[in-house]
Amino acid sequence: MRLIETSGLTVRYGRKDALVDVDFHIDRGEIVTLVGPNGSGKSSLVRALVGAIPPFKGNVKRKNGLRIGYVPQKLHIDPTLPISVKRFLGLPKRKPSATIEAALASADVAHIGDSQMTNLSGGQFQRVLLARALLENPDLLLLDEATQGLDQPGAAAFYRKIEDVRTELGCAVLMVSHDLHVVMSASDRVVCVNGHVCCHGTPDIVASAPEYRALFGSGTGGALALYRHQHTHSHDDGCDHDHDHSQANSAEKEGADA
């Protein structure tokens, strides 16, 4: 079932186009990773998909009654504010205890319900945000650079959990990033954006590549990925280009973590 589909979508701020002529879709049960550099229009596309901004041209079609669960990159909580995980998940509208406990269990953090939010590790905090997104049994789970700040094993574990959630709920997952190295092994499609859709396709997994093993460490192979795509489209030089790209961004990731 198609959850969201855009046709010829253009997003404009003032006189500047953030996105031009974007055709995009995401179906129930698939995982799509949206990649692109800072300022490429990823956030604009996401905002248009969920209806936060109107298209300047083109259209966006959404499934009637579409439920979206959102996991942000980060969320600031006043460190002086005493609030437990369960109470946090009950805001702003109280939820039944059984619903909260089920969401925590789905996020693999059932044991921290009585913990203070300010005492959580980075990985635990992101799992709680995931649990919050799962409370409404979403059709589409949207993750906006949700592993920023996590170490490599923590990010890999989080990706594997997302695969499990997709299987358990049958929902679609849209992951957003600016770095190709976060393309996860479970992604069905990768969409590369830089003001327009540069390319899209399926990622190839390279679990045996030594540079990737060194990057992620042993036992975290679920997130090892190679970005590969084939496409034909016009660039600013007016020519059509056929591409088959494979990019291993281990050096970039190591530099980011330094």
Side-chain angles (χ1 to χ4, degrees), residues 121-217:
S121 68
Q124 289 174 329
F125 194 95
Q126 287 306 103
R127 293 298 182 102
V128 170
L129 293 182
L130 173 60
R132 186 180 179 88
L134 298 178
L135 283 173
E136 303 298 334
N137 190 26
D139 301 305
L140 172 63
L141 183 60
L142 174 59
L143 298 97
D144 187 2
E145 306 208 37
T147 59
Q148 281 276 344
L150 300 186
D151 61 17
Q152 293 159 6
F158 189 85
Y159 292 151
R160 292 196 298 270
K161 171 70 329 189
I162 297 304
E163 296 180 45
D164 294 340
V165 167
R166 185 267 298 266
T167 301
E168 292 166 7
L169 298 184
C171 64
V173 179
L174 177 60
M175 295 187 60
V176 182
S177 178
H178 68 280
D179 292 321
L180 298 182
H181 67 260
V182 303
V183 176
M184 53 191 282
S185 62
S187 291
D188 299 299
R189 290 188 291 119
V190 176
V191 179
C192 184
V193 175
N194 192 16
H196 64 289
V197 175
C198 298
C199 48
H200 59 88
T202 58
D204 293 324
I205 307 310
V206 191
S208 61
E211 62 269 36
Y212 276 79
R213 290 184 181 276
L215 175 62
F216 284 92

Coordinates of all heavy atoms in Angstrom, one line a residue, residues 121-217:
S121 N 21.5 7.0 29.4 CA 22.6 7.1 28.5 C 22.0 7.6 27.1 O 20.8 7.6 26.9 CB 23.3 5.8 28.3 OG 22.4 4.9 27.6
G122 N 22.9 8.0 26.2 CA 22.4 8.5 24.9 C 21.6 7.4 24.2 O 20.6 7.7 23.6
G123 N 22.1 6.1 24.2 CA 21.4 5.1 23.6 C 20.0 4.8 24.2 O 19.0 4.6 23.5
Q124 N 20.0 4.8 25.5 CA 18.7 4.6 26.2 C 17.7 5.8 25.9 O 16.5 5.5 25.7 CB 18.9 4.6 27.7 CG 19.6 3.3 28.2 CD 19.9 3.3 29.7 OE1 20.2 4.4 30.2 NE2 19.9 2.2 30.3
F125 N 18.2 7.0 25.8 CA 17.4 8.1 25.5 C 16.7 8.0 24.1 O 15.5 8.2 24.0 CB 18.2 9.4 25.6 CG 17.4 10.7 25.7 CD1 17.1 11.3 26.9 CD2 16.9 11.3 24.5 CE1 16.3 12.4 26.9 CE2 16.2 12.5 24.5 CZ 15.9 13.0 25.8
Q126 N 17.5 7.6 23.2 CA 17.0 7.4 21.8 C 16.0 6.3 21.8 O 15.0 6.3 21.0 CB 18.1 7.2 20.8 CG 18.9 8.4 20.5 CD 18.1 9.6 20.0 OE1 17.9 10.5 20.8 NE2 17.6 9.5 18.8
R127 N 16.2 5.2 22.6 CA 15.2 4.1 22.6 C 13.9 4.6 23.2 O 12.8 4.2 22.8 CB 15.8 3.0 23.4 CG 17.0 2.2 22.8 CD 16.6 1.6 21.5 NE 17.8 0.9 20.9 CZ 17.9 -0.4 21.0 NH1 17.0 -1.2 21.5 NH2 19.0 -1.0 20.4
V128 N 14.0 5.5 24.2 CA 12.8 6.1 24.8 C 12.0 6.9 23.7 O 10.8 6.9 23.6 CB 13.1 6.9 26.0 CG1 11.8 7.7 26.5 CG2 13.6 6.0 27.1
L129 N 12.8 7.7 22.9 CA 12.2 8.5 21.9 C 11.5 7.6 20.8 O 10.5 7.9 20.3 CB 13.2 9.4 21.2 CG 13.7 10.5 22.1 CD1 14.7 11.4 21.3 CD2 12.6 11.4 22.7
L130 N 12.2 6.4 20.6 CA 11.6 5.4 19.7 C 10.3 4.9 20.3 O 9.3 4.8 19.6 CB 12.6 4.3 19.4 CG 12.1 3.1 18.6 CD1 11.6 3.6 17.2 CD2 13.1 2.0 18.5
A131 N 10.3 4.6 21.6 CA 9.1 4.1 22.2 C 8.0 5.1 22.1 O 6.8 4.7 21.9 CB 9.4 3.7 23.7
R132 N 8.3 6.3 22.3 CA 7.3 7.4 22.2 C 6.7 7.4 20.8 O 5.5 7.6 20.6 CB 7.9 8.7 22.5 CG 6.9 9.9 22.6 CD 7.7 11.2 22.9 NE 6.8 12.3 22.9 CZ 6.1 12.8 24.0 NH1 6.2 12.1 25.2 NH2 5.3 13.8 24.0
A133 N 7.5 7.2 19.8 CA 7.0 7.2 18.4 C 6.1 6.0 18.1 O 5.3 6.1 17.2 CB 8.2 7.2 17.4
L134 N 6.3 4.9 18.9 CA 5.6 3.7 18.6 C 4.2 3.7 19.3 O 3.4 2.8 19.1 CB 6.4 2.5 19.1 CG 7.7 2.3 18.3 CD1 8.4 1.1 18.9 CD2 7.5 2.1 16.8
L135 N 4.0 4.7 20.2 CA 2.8 4.7 21.0 C 1.5 4.7 20.2 O 0.5 4.1 20.6 CB 2.8 5.9 22.0 CG 3.7 5.8 23.2 CD1 3.7 7.1 24.0 CD2 3.2 4.7 24.2
E136 N 1.6 5.3 19.1 CA 0.4 5.5 18.2 C 0.3 4.4 17.2 O -0.6 4.6 16.2 CB 0.3 6.9 17.6 CG 0.4 8.0 18.6 CD -0.8 8.0 19.5 OE1 -1.9 7.5 19.2 OE2 -0.7 8.6 20.7
N137 N 1.1 3.4 17.3 CA 1.1 2.3 16.2 C 1.2 2.9 14.8 O 0.2 2.8 14.0 CB -0.2 1.5 16.4 CG -0.1 0.2 15.5 OD1 0.9 -0.3 15.2 ND2 -1.3 -0.3 15.1
P138 N 2.3 3.6 14.5 CA 2.4 4.3 13.3 C 2.4 3.5 12.0 O 2.8 2.4 12.0 CB 3.7 5.1 13.4 CG 4.5 4.2 14.3 CD 3.5 3.6 15.3
D139 N 1.8 4.1 10.9 CA 2.0 3.5 9.6 C 3.3 3.8 9.0 O 3.9 3.0 8.2 CB 0.9 4.1 8.6 CG -0.5 3.9 9.1 OD1 -0.9 2.7 9.3 OD2 -1.2 4.9 9.2
L140 N 3.9 5.0 9.4 CA 5.2 5.4 8.9 C 6.0 5.9 10.1 O 5.6 6.7 10.9 CB 5.0 6.6 7.9 CG 6.3 7.3 7.5 CD1 7.2 6.3 6.7 CD2 5.9 8.5 6.6
L141 N 7.2 5.3 10.2 CA 8.1 5.7 11.3 C 9.2 6.6 10.6 O 9.9 6.1 9.8 CB 8.7 4.5 11.9 CG 9.7 4.7 13.1 CD1 9.0 5.4 14.3 CD2 10.3 3.4 13.6
L142 N 9.3 7.8 11.1 CA 10.3 8.8 10.5 C 11.4 9.0 11.5 O 11.1 9.5 12.6 CB 9.5 10.1 10.2 CG 10.3 11.3 9.7 CD1 11.1 10.9 8.4 CD2 9.4 12.5 9.5
L143 N 12.6 8.8 11.1 CA 13.8 9.0 11.9 C 14.7 10.1 11.3 O 15.2 9.9 10.2 CB 14.6 7.7 12.1 CG 13.8 6.5 12.8 CD1 13.2 5.6 11.7 CD2 14.7 5.7 13.7
D144 N 14.8 11.2 12.0 CA 15.6 12.3 11.5 C 16.9 12.3 12.2 O 17.2 12.8 13.2 CB 14.8 13.6 11.9 CG 15.5 14.8 11.2 OD1 16.5 14.7 10.5 OD2 15.0 16.0 11.5
E145 N 17.9 11.7 11.5 CA 19.3 11.5 12.0 C 19.3 11.1 13.4 O 20.0 11.7 14.3 CB 20.0 12.8 11.8 CG 20.0 13.3 10.3 CD 21.1 14.2 9.9 OE1 22.3 13.9 10.3 OE2 20.9 15.1 9.1
A146 N 18.5 10.0 13.7 CA 18.2 9.6 15.1 C 19.4 9.0 15.8 O 19.4 8.8 17.0 CB 17.1 8.6 15.1
T147 N 20.5 8.7 15.1 CA 21.7 8.1 15.7 C 22.8 9.1 16.0 O 23.9 8.7 16.4 CB 22.2 6.9 14.9 OG1 22.6 7.4 13.6 CG2 21.2 5.8 14.8
Q148 N 22.5 10.4 15.7 CA 23.5 11.4 16.0 C 23.9 11.4 17.5 O 23.1 11.4 18.3 CB 23.0 12.8 15.7 CG 23.0 13.2 14.2 CD 24.3 13.7 13.7 OE1 25.1 14.1 14.5 NE2 24.5 13.7 12.4
G149 N 25.2 11.3 17.7 CA 25.7 11.3 19.1 C 25.9 9.9 19.7 O 26.4 9.8 20.8
L150 N 25.4 8.9 19.0 CA 25.6 7.5 19.5 C 27.0 7.0 19.0 O 27.4 7.4 17.9 CB 24.5 6.6 19.0 CG 23.1 6.9 19.5 CD1 22.1 5.8 19.0 CD2 23.0 7.2 21.0
D151 N 27.6 6.1 19.8 CA 28.8 5.5 19.3 C 28.4 4.5 18.2 O 27.3 4.2 18.0 CB 29.6 4.9 20.4 CG 28.9 3.8 21.2 OD1 27.9 3.3 20.6 OD2 29.3 3.5 22.3
Q152 N 29.5 4.0 17.5 CA 29.2 3.1 16.4 C 28.4 1.8 16.8 O 27.5 1.5 16.1 CB 30.5 2.7 15.7 CG 31.2 4.0 15.1 CD 32.6 3.8 14.8 OE1 33.2 2.8 15.1 NE2 33.3 4.9 14.4
P153 N 28.8 1.1 17.8 CA 28.0 -0.1 18.2 C 26.6 0.3 18.6 O 25.6 -0.5 18.3 CB 28.8 -0.7 19.4 CG 30.2 -0.2 19.2 CD 30.1 1.2 18.6
G154 N 26.4 1.4 19.3 CA 25.1 1.9 19.7 C 24.2 2.2 18.5 O 23.0 1.8 18.4
A155 N 24.8 2.8 17.5 CA 24.1 3.1 16.2 C 23.7 1.9 15.5 O 22.6 1.7 15.0 CB 24.9 4.0 15.3
A156 N 24.6 0.9 15.4 CA 24.3 -0.4 14.7 C 23.2 -1.1 15.4 O 22.3 -1.7 14.8 CB 25.6 -1.2 14.7
A157 N 23.2 -1.1 16.7 CA 22.2 -1.8 17.5 C 20.8 -1.1 17.3 O 19.8 -1.8 17.2 CB 22.5 -1.8 19.0
F158 N 20.8 0.2 17.2 CA 19.6 1.0 17.0 C 19.0 0.6 15.6 O 17.8 0.4 15.5 CB 19.9 2.5 17.1 CG 18.7 3.3 17.1 CD1 18.0 3.6 18.2 CD2 18.2 3.9 15.9 CE1 16.8 4.3 18.2 CE2 17.1 4.7 15.9 CZ 16.4 4.9 17.1
Y159 N 19.9 0.5 14.6 CA 19.4 0.2 13.2 C 18.8 -1.2 13.2 O 17.8 -1.4 12.6 CB 20.6 0.2 12.3 CG 21.2 1.6 12.0 CD1 22.5 1.7 11.7 CD2 20.4 2.7 12.1 CE1 23.1 3.0 11.4 CE2 20.9 4.0 11.8 CZ 22.2 4.1 11.5 OH 22.8 5.3 11.2
R160 N 19.4 -2.2 13.9 CA 18.9 -3.5 14.0 C 17.5 -3.5 14.6 O 16.6 -4.3 14.2 CB 19.8 -4.5 14.6 CG 21.1 -4.7 13.9 CD 21.9 -6.0 14.4 NE 22.3 -5.8 15.8 CZ 23.4 -5.3 16.1 NH1 24.3 -4.8 15.2 NH2 23.8 -5.2 17.4
K161 N 17.3 -2.7 15.6 CA 16.0 -2.6 16.3 C 15.0 -2.0 15.4 O 13.8 -2.5 15.4 CB 16.2 -1.7 17.6 CG 14.9 -1.3 18.2 CD 14.1 -2.4 19.0 CE 14.1 -3.8 18.6 NZ 13.2 -4.7 19.3
I162 N 15.4 -1.1 14.5 CA 14.4 -0.5 13.5 C 14.0 -1.6 12.6 O 12.8 -1.7 12.2 CB 15.1 0.6 12.8 CG1 15.4 1.8 13.7 CG2 14.1 1.1 11.7 CD1 14.2 2.3 14.5
E163 N 14.9 -2.5 12.2 CA 14.5 -3.6 11.3 C 13.4 -4.5 12.0 O 12.4 -4.9 11.4 CB 15.7 -4.5 11.0 CG 16.8 -3.8 10.2 CD 18.0 -4.7 9.9 OE1 17.7 -5.9 9.5 OE2 19.1 -4.3 10.1
D164 N 13.6 -4.7 13.3 CA 12.7 -5.5 14.1 C 11.3 -4.9 14.2 O 10.3 -5.5 14.0 CB 13.2 -5.8 15.5 CG 14.5 -6.6 15.5 OD1 14.7 -7.4 14.5 OD2 15.2 -6.6 16.5
V165 N 11.3 -3.5 14.4 CA 10.1 -2.8 14.5 C 9.3 -2.9 13.2 O 8.1 -3.1 13.2 CB 10.4 -1.3 14.9 CG1 9.1 -0.5 14.7 CG2 10.8 -1.2 16.3
R166 N 10.0 -2.7 12.1 CA 9.4 -2.8 10.8 C 8.7 -4.2 10.6 O 7.6 -4.3 10.1 CB 10.4 -2.6 9.7 CG 9.8 -2.5 8.2 CD 9.9 -3.9 7.5 NE 11.2 -4.4 7.4 CZ 11.9 -4.2 6.2 NH1 11.5 -3.5 5.2 NH2 13.2 -4.7 6.2
T167 N 9.4 -5.2 11.0 CA 8.8 -6.6 10.9 C 7.6 -6.8 11.8 O 6.6 -7.3 11.4 CB 9.9 -7.6 11.2 OG1 11.0 -7.5 10.3 CG2 9.3 -9.0 11.1
E168 N 7.7 -6.2 13.1 CA 6.7 -6.4 14.0 C 5.4 -5.6 13.7 O 4.3 -6.2 13.8 CB 7.2 -6.0 15.4 CG 8.2 -6.9 16.0 CD 8.9 -6.2 17.2 OE1 8.4 -5.2 17.7 OE2 9.9 -6.8 17.7
L169 N 5.6 -4.4 13.3 CA 4.4 -3.5 13.0 C 4.0 -3.5 11.5 O 2.8 -3.1 11.3 CB 4.8 -2.1 13.4 CG 5.1 -1.8 14.9 CD1 5.3 -0.3 15.1 CD2 4.0 -2.4 15.8
G170 N 4.8 -3.9 10.6 CA 4.5 -3.8 9.2 C 4.5 -2.4 8.7 O 3.9 -2.1 7.7
C171 N 5.1 -1.5 9.5 CA 5.1 -0.1 9.1 C 6.2 0.2 8.1 O 7.1 -0.6 7.9 CB 5.3 0.8 10.3 SG 6.9 0.6 11.1
A172 N 6.1 1.4 7.5 CA 7.2 1.8 6.6 C 8.2 2.6 7.5 O 7.8 3.2 8.6 CB 6.7 2.7 5.5
V173 N 9.4 2.7 7.1 CA 10.4 3.5 7.8 C 11.1 4.4 6.9 O 11.6 4.0 5.8 CB 11.4 2.6 8.5 CG1 12.5 3.4 9.3 CG2 10.8 1.6 9.5
L174 N 11.2 5.7 7.2 CA 11.9 6.7 6.4 C 13.0 7.2 7.3 O 12.8 7.9 8.3 CB 11.0 7.8 5.9 CG 11.7 8.9 5.1 CD1 12.4 8.4 3.9 CD2 10.7 10.0 4.7
M175 N 14.3 6.9 7.0 CA 15.4 7.4 7.7 C 16.1 8.5 7.0 O 16.2 8.5 5.7 CB 16.4 6.3 8.0 CG 15.9 5.2 8.8 SD 17.2 4.0 9.2 CE 18.4 5.0 10.1
V176 N 16.5 9.6 7.7 CA 17.1 10.8 7.1 C 18.5 10.9 7.6 O 18.8 10.8 8.8 CB 16.3 12.0 7.5 CG1 16.9 13.3 6.8 CG2 14.8 11.8 7.1
S177 N 19.4 11.2 6.7 CA 20.8 11.4 7.1 C 21.5 12.3 6.1 O 21.0 12.5 4.9 CB 21.5 10.1 7.2 OG 22.9 10.3 7.6
H178 N 22.7 12.8 6.4 CA 23.5 13.5 5.5 C 24.7 12.7 5.1 O 25.6 13.2 4.3 CB 23.9 14.9 6.0 CG 24.8 14.9 7.1 ND1 24.4 14.7 8.4 CD2 26.1 15.1 7.2 CE1 25.4 14.8 9.2 NE2 26.5 15.0 8.5
D179 N 24.9 11.6 5.7 CA 26.1 10.8 5.5 C 25.8 9.4 5.0 O 24.9 8.7 5.5 CB 26.9 10.6 6.8 CG 27.5 11.8 7.4 OD1 28.0 12.6 6.6 OD2 27.4 12.1 8.6
L180 N 26.5 9.0 3.9 CA 26.2 7.7 3.3 C 26.5 6.6 4.2 O 25.9 5.5 4.0 CB 27.0 7.6 2.0 CG 26.7 8.6 0.9 CD1 27.5 8.4 -0.3 CD2 25.2 8.7 0.5
H181 N 27.4 6.7 5.1 CA 27.8 5.6 5.9 C 26.6 5.1 6.9 O 26.7 4.0 7.4 CB 29.0 5.9 6.8 CG 28.8 6.9 7.8 ND1 29.2 8.2 7.7 CD2 28.2 6.8 9.1 CE1 28.9 8.9 8.8 NE2 28.3 8.1 9.6
V182 N 25.6 5.9 7.0 CA 24.5 5.4 7.9 C 23.4 4.6 7.1 O 22.4 4.2 7.7 CB 23.8 6.5 8.7 CG1 24.8 7.3 9.5 CG2 23.1 7.5 7.7
V183 N 23.6 4.4 5.8 CA 22.7 3.6 5.0 C 22.8 2.2 5.6 O 23.8 1.6 5.6 CB 23.1 3.6 3.6 CG1 22.2 2.6 2.8 CG2 23.0 5.0 3.0
M184 N 21.7 1.7 6.1 CA 21.6 0.5 6.9 C 21.4 -0.7 6.0 O 20.8 -0.6 4.9 CB 20.6 0.6 8.0 CG 19.2 1.0 7.5 SD 18.1 1.3 8.9 CE 17.7 -0.3 9.4
S185 N 21.8 -1.9 6.5 CA 21.7 -3.1 5.7 C 20.2 -3.4 5.3 O 20.0 -4.1 4.3 CB 22.3 -4.2 6.4 OG 21.6 -4.5 7.6
A186 N 19.3 -3.0 6.1 CA 17.9 -3.4 5.9 C 17.2 -2.5 4.9 O 16.1 -2.7 4.5 CB 17.1 -3.3 7.2
S187 N 17.8 -1.4 4.5 CA 17.2 -0.4 3.6 C 16.8 -1.1 2.3 O 17.6 -1.7 1.6 CB 18.1 0.8 3.3 OG 18.3 1.6 4.4
D188 N 15.5 -0.9 1.9 CA 15.1 -1.4 0.6 C 15.5 -0.5 -0.5 O 15.8 -0.9 -1.6 CB 13.6 -1.6 0.6 CG 13.1 -2.6 1.7 OD1 13.5 -3.7 1.6 OD2 12.4 -2.2 2.6
R189 N 15.5 0.8 -0.2 CA 15.8 1.8 -1.2 C 16.6 3.0 -0.5 O 16.4 3.3 0.6 CB 14.6 2.4 -1.9 CG 13.9 1.4 -2.8 CD 12.8 2.1 -3.7 NE 11.7 2.5 -2.8 CZ 11.3 3.8 -2.7 NH1 11.9 4.8 -3.3 NH2 10.2 4.1 -1.9
V190 N 17.4 3.6 -1.3 CA 18.1 4.8 -0.9 C 17.8 5.9 -1.9 O 17.9 5.7 -3.1 CB 19.7 4.6 -0.8 CG1 20.4 5.9 -0.5 CG2 20.0 3.5 0.1
V191 N 17.4 7.1 -1.4 CA 17.1 8.2 -2.2 C 18.1 9.3 -1.9 O 18.2 9.8 -0.7 CB 15.7 8.7 -2.0 CG1 15.4 9.9 -2.9 CG2 14.7 7.6 -2.3
C192 N 18.9 9.7 -2.9 CA 19.9 10.8 -2.7 C 19.4 12.1 -3.2 O 19.0 12.2 -4.4 CB 21.2 10.4 -3.4 SG 22.6 11.6 -3.1
V193 N 19.4 13.1 -2.3 CA 18.8 14.4 -2.6 C 19.8 15.5 -2.6 O 20.7 15.5 -1.6 CB 17.6 14.7 -1.7 CG1 17.1 16.1 -1.9 CG2 16.5 13.7 -1.8
N194 N 19.8 16.4 -3.5 CA 20.6 17.6 -3.5 C 19.9 18.7 -4.3 O 20.4 19.1 -5.4 CB 22.0 17.3 -4.0 CG 23.0 18.5 -3.7 OD1 22.7 19.3 -2.8 ND2 24.1 18.6 -4.4
G195 N 18.8 19.1 -3.7 CA 18.0 20.1 -4.4 C 17.0 19.4 -5.4 O 16.0 20.0 -5.8
H196 N 17.3 18.2 -5.8 CA 16.4 17.4 -6.6 C 16.8 15.9 -6.3 O 17.8 15.7 -5.5 CB 16.6 17.7 -8.1 CG 18.0 17.4 -8.6 ND1 19.1 18.1 -8.2 CD2 18.5 16.4 -9.4 CE1 20.2 17.6 -8.8 NE2 19.8 16.5 -9.5
V197 N 16.1 14.9 -6.8 CA 16.5 13.6 -6.6 C 17.7 13.3 -7.5 O 17.5 13.1 -8.7 CB 15.4 12.6 -6.8 CG1 15.9 11.1 -6.7 CG2 14.3 12.8 -5.8
C198 N 18.9 13.1 -7.0 CA 20.1 12.9 -7.8 C 20.1 11.4 -8.3 O 20.4 11.1 -9.4 CB 21.3 13.1 -6.9 SG 21.6 14.7 -6.4
C199 N 19.7 10.5 -7.4 CA 19.7 9.1 -7.7 C 18.9 8.3 -6.6 O 18.7 8.8 -5.5 CB 21.1 8.6 -7.8 SG 22.1 9.1 -6.3
H200 N 18.5 7.1 -7.0 CA 17.9 6.2 -6.0 C 18.1 4.8 -6.4 O 18.3 4.5 -7.6 CB 16.4 6.6 -6.0 CG 15.6 6.4 -7.3 ND1 15.1 5.2 -7.7 CD2 15.4 7.3 -8.2 CE1 14.5 5.4 -8.9 NE2 14.7 6.6 -9.2
G201 N 18.0 3.9 -5.5 CA 18.3 2.5 -5.7 C 18.4 1.7 -4.5 O 18.2 2.2 -3.4
T202 N 18.9 0.5 -4.6 CA 19.1 -0.4 -3.4 C 20.5 -0.4 -3.0 O 21.5 -0.3 -3.8 CB 18.7 -1.8 -3.8 OG1 19.5 -2.3 -4.9 CG2 17.2 -1.9 -4.2
P203 N 20.8 -0.4 -1.7 CA 22.1 -0.5 -1.1 C 22.7 -1.9 -1.1 O 22.0 -2.9 -0.9 CB 22.0 0.1 0.3 CG 20.6 -0.3 0.7 CD 19.8 -0.3 -0.6
D204 N 23.9 -2.1 -1.4 CA 24.6 -3.4 -1.4 C 25.4 -3.4 0.0 O 26.0 -2.5 0.4 CB 25.6 -3.5 -2.5 CG 24.9 -3.6 -3.8 OD1 23.8 -4.2 -3.9 OD2 25.4 -3.1 -4.8
I205 N 25.3 -4.6 0.6 CA 25.9 -4.8 1.9 C 27.3 -5.3 1.7 O 27.5 -6.3 1.0 CB 25.1 -5.7 2.8 CG1 23.6 -5.2 2.9 CG2 25.6 -5.8 4.2 CD1 23.5 -3.7 3.2
V206 N 28.2 -4.7 2.4 CA 29.6 -5.2 2.3 C 30.1 -5.5 3.7 O 31.0 -4.8 4.3 CB 30.5 -4.1 1.6 CG1 31.9 -4.7 1.3 CG2 29.9 -3.6 0.4
A207 N 29.6 -6.6 4.3 CA 30.0 -6.9 5.7 C 31.4 -7.5 5.7 O 32.0 -7.5 6.8 CB 29.0 -8.0 6.2
S208 N 31.9 -7.9 4.6 CA 33.3 -8.5 4.6 C 34.4 -7.5 4.4 O 35.6 -7.8 4.5 CB 33.4 -9.6 3.6 OG 33.1 -9.1 2.3
A209 N 34.1 -6.3 4.0 CA 35.1 -5.3 3.7 C 35.9 -4.9 5.0 O 35.3 -4.5 6.0 CB 34.5 -4.0 3.1
P210 N 37.2 -5.0 5.0 CA 38.0 -4.8 6.2 C 37.8 -3.4 6.8 O 37.8 -3.2 8.0 CB 39.4 -5.1 5.8 CG 39.4 -5.0 4.3 CD 38.1 -5.4 3.9
E211 N 37.7 -2.4 5.9 CA 37.6 -1.0 6.4 C 36.3 -0.8 7.1 O 36.2 0.0 8.1 CB 37.7 0.0 5.2 CG 36.7 -0.1 4.1 CD 37.1 -1.0 3.0 OE1 37.8 -2.0 3.3 OE2 36.8 -0.7 1.9
Y212 N 35.3 -1.6 6.7 CA 34.0 -1.4 7.4 C 34.0 -2.2 8.7 O 33.4 -1.8 9.7 CB 32.8 -1.9 6.5 CG 32.3 -0.9 5.5 CD1 33.1 -0.6 4.4 CD2 31.2 -0.2 5.8 CE1 32.6 0.3 3.5 CE2 30.7 0.8 4.9 CZ 31.5 1.1 3.8 OH 31.0 2.0 2.9
R213 N 34.7 -3.3 8.7 CA 34.8 -4.1 10.0 C 35.6 -3.2 11.0 O 35.2 -3.2 12.2 CB 35.5 -5.4 9.8 CG 34.7 -6.4 9.0 CD 35.4 -7.7 8.9 NE 34.7 -8.7 8.2 CZ 33.7 -9.5 8.7 NH1 33.4 -9.4 10.0 NH2 33.1 -10.4 7.9
A214 N 36.6 -2.5 10.5 CA 37.4 -1.7 11.4 C 36.6 -0.5 11.9 O 36.7 -0.1 13.1 CB 38.6 -1.2 10.7
L215 N 35.7 0.0 11.1 CA 34.9 1.2 11.4 C 33.9 0.9 12.5 O 33.7 1.6 13.5 CB 34.2 1.7 10.2 CG 33.3 2.9 10.3 CD1 34.0 4.1 10.9 CD2 32.6 3.2 9.0
F216 N 33.1 -0.2 12.3 CA 32.0 -0.5 13.2 C 32.4 -1.5 14.3 O 31.6 -1.6 15.2 CB 30.8 -1.2 12.4 CG 30.1 -0.1 11.6 CD1 30.4 0.1 10.3 CD2 29.0 0.6 12.1 CE1 29.7 1.1 9.5 CE2 28.3 1.5 11.4 CZ 28.7 1.8 10.1
G217 N 33.5 -2.2 14.2 CA 33.8 -3.1 15.2 C 33.2 -4.5 15.0 O 32.2 -4.6 14.3

